[in-house]
């Protein structure tokens, strides 16, 4: 099966680029600090980045002392930017979807994935492949959309009362894992919802020990600066997990 | 600090008794099968039950071959029924709150707790004490109200559309851990909300390895028999976890 490659759609790509350039996006304010806080010491390590996109994280891993960084992404448009803006002697980009990582024939100390895993249909297969790619005691750190975000079949949405104030998050379908078709920049984006227990049990079954789980929320400073972010105390945006190969 | 002892309130106690006698309660149809599915082989084991209530589970642990079962509960009314209906030569009931288990001076192979832990304020302290009470490789299995149930500060509730049909769960305050005062049979019941990551990280920090997590939902048979249970596909009732002492 060919995986979705929406990032090579020009219209989507331009919309996404604009979103990522916003310095006040939840990605930058919430997800990035959380995923970096869970990274082990990278000095001298070999790092694989799944769904590396623009390669910003690959570049940072290299700066943090990684010996070698391999970034894979399904989108050649994303990798063109990665090669242009985030290249380095020890950074290697490869046009590959996450479904095909079984074909990589080297091992890594750390596998990282930022906000890409919710696009992968077969999570069991993915984490089993990640486990195989890790050296003993290797670390897998990943972030994804929060399971409460991916849950609703009609897409994440908030309930507003008569005066337009958000009063609650409209939670539906949480216990029903599987495909979700949602609108984000364009219509027809495919994601996969998984429950907390589904994610945790898959990691354990694949041979991982869970070491830490984060559900980052806006800091006090962000809440004061951007009052609209208070809704994320009702429902966080991201889930971030560190697991160790047993 | 004196813990809440609502189960010794006569009015609450009678209301609760009636609820538990319903053979179609979610406790019996969803929580009980889930927690028992996570138990290890009990033959010859020493088992501690935290918040044992009527002692039904203690009696079952004994029937399943446990060598010795100790059940503690804060409510003397509950233990009077336990002694009356679920006694046994190797079953010992003690009137003790979960906050005081540090005073128990014997070790166990298995610690179980069914739907009681959300009443305990200091989860870190509790799981640290449970870890100390376990033999090496000992197993801790517990169930609690689902974190999406405990989250809303105004109590769990569903949104109904104009024709009275439930359309979604009103999720609020998920990321804000802490005390919740809700109405259940009587007003002013105190519970404590914790996020998934809060629960998991506390267990890991206390020296546990997470082995399995369940969020049971109604079976297909139950969904057909009781159409009102379909709402629990939006938001499950329970969280059940098995952890092993490292």
């Amino acid at each position: 099966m060919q995986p979705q490659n929406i990032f090579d759609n020009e219209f989507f790509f331009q919309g996404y680029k604009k979103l990522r350039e916003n310095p006040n996006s939840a990605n930058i304010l919430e997800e990035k600090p959380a995923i970096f806080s869970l990274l082990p010491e990278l000095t001298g390590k070999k790092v694989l980045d799944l769904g590396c996109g623009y390669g910003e994280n690959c570049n940072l891993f290299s700066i943090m002392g990684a010996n070698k960084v391999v970034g894979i992404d399904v989108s050649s448009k994303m990798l063109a930017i990665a090669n242009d803006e985030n290249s380095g002697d020890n950074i290697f980009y490869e046009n590959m979807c996450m479904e095909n990582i079984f074909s990589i024939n080297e091992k890594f100390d750390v596998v990282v994935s930022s906000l890409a895993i919710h696009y992968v249909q077969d999570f069991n297969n993915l984490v089993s492949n990640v486990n195989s790619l890790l050296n003993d005691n290797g670390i897998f750190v990943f972030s994804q959309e929060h399971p409460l975000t991916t849950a609703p079949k009609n897409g994440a949405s908030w309930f507003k009362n008569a005066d337009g104030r958000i009063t609650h998050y409209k939670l539906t379908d949480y216990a029903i894992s599987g495909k979700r078709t949602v609108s984000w920049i364009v219509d027809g984006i495919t994601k996969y919802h998984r429950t907390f227990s589904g994610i945790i049990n898959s990691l354990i079954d694949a041979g991982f020990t869970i070491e830490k789980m984060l559900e980052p929320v806006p800091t006090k400073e962000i809440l004061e600066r951007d009052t609209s972010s208070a809704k994320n105390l009702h429902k966080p945006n991201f889930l971030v997990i560190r697991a160790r190969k047993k």
Side-chain angles (χ1 to χ4, degrees), chain A:
Chain A
M1 194 197 69
Q2 202 56 21
Q4 168 181 259
N5 183 1
I6 191 70
F7 287 89
D8 272 352
N9 169 310
E10 183 62 25
F11 182 78
F12 178 90
F13 182 73
Q14 292 304 332
Y16 177 82
K17 204 156 167 269
K18 213 167 155 187
L19 265 186
R20 286 305 290 257
E21 282 162 3
N22 172 11
N24 292 317
S25 72
N27 291 34
I28 288 174
L29 297 178
E30 298 167 22
E31 187 265 349
K32 226 174 175 65
I35 198 166
F36 275 80
S37 78
L38 294 195
L39 289 179
E41 167 66 47
L42 294 186
T43 307
K45 300 280 174 67
K46 280 176 69 178
V47 181
L48 174 64
D49 186 347
L50 305 177
C52 64
Y54 297 164
E56 292 153 331
N57 286 350
C58 289
N59 191 34
L60 288 171
F61 302 152
S62 172
I63 291 168
M64 288 164 78
N67 182 258
K68 177 179 180 179
V69 182
V70 176
I72 68 149
D73 204 283
V74 71
S75 161
S76 54
K77 274 185 190 285
M78 301 285 265
L79 291 182
I81 293 188
N83 275 308
D84 196 41
E85 297 182 2
N86 292 299
S87 62
D89 287 349
N90 62 347
I91 306 175
F92 304 87
Y93 294 112
E94 206 160 328
N95 192 194
M96 179 188 278
C97 64
M98 273 197 265
E99 287 77 0
N100 286 347
I101 57 169
F102 64 88
S103 66
I104 299 175
N105 52 12
E106 63 180 308
K107 295 230 174 188
F108 297 86
D109 305 300
V110 183
V111 176
V112 185
S113 181
S114 167
L115 298 178
I117 275 180
H118 47 264
Y119 296 119
V120 176
Q121 181 172 17
D122 191 339
F123 188 68
N124 283 334
N125 183 53
L126 177 75
V127 293
S128 167
N129 286 336
V130 170
N131 196 270
S132 300
L133 285 170
L134 281 168
N135 289 316
D136 287 350
N137 275 308
I139 297 286
F140 180 32
V141 178
F142 71 94
S143 65
Q144 63 156 69
E145 287 192 351
H146 197 276
L148 300 175
T149 304
T150 56
K153 287 187 178 174
N154 292 326
S157 66
W158 303 91
F159 185 86
K160 291 179 183 172
N161 66 9
D163 63 17
R165 197 174 49 85
I166 285 174
T167 56
H168 64 261
Y169 179 71
K170 293 160 73 174
L171 180 65
T172 64
D173 310 306
Y174 170 76
I176 304 164
S177 295
K179 189 171 167 175
R180 300 290 188 267
T181 306
V182 299
S183 296
W184 184 55
I185 307 171
V186 298
D187 287 341
I189 301 283
T190 297
K191 296 179 185 178
Y192 294 90
H193 169 62
R194 291 176 267 267
T195 61
F196 281 94
S197 51
I199 293 164
I200 291 297
N201 294 337
S202 292
L203 286 163
I204 294 167
D205 290 347
F208 285 103
T209 301
I210 309 300
E211 289 204 332
K212 192 93 177 177
M213 188 191 279
L214 298 178
E215 299 166 272
V217 288
T219 60
K220 212 182 145 199
E221 191 208 331
I222 298 168
L223 288 168
E224 280 168 9
R225 182 168 17 121
D226 172 14
T227 51
S228 80
S229 68
K231 65 183 183 298
N232 294 117
L233 299 177
H234 295 322
K235 194 278 300 163
N237 284 310
F238 307 110
L239 172 65
V240 193
I241 291 179
R242 183 175 73 211
R244 182 182 294 269
K245 180 173 177 162
K246 268 193 284 205

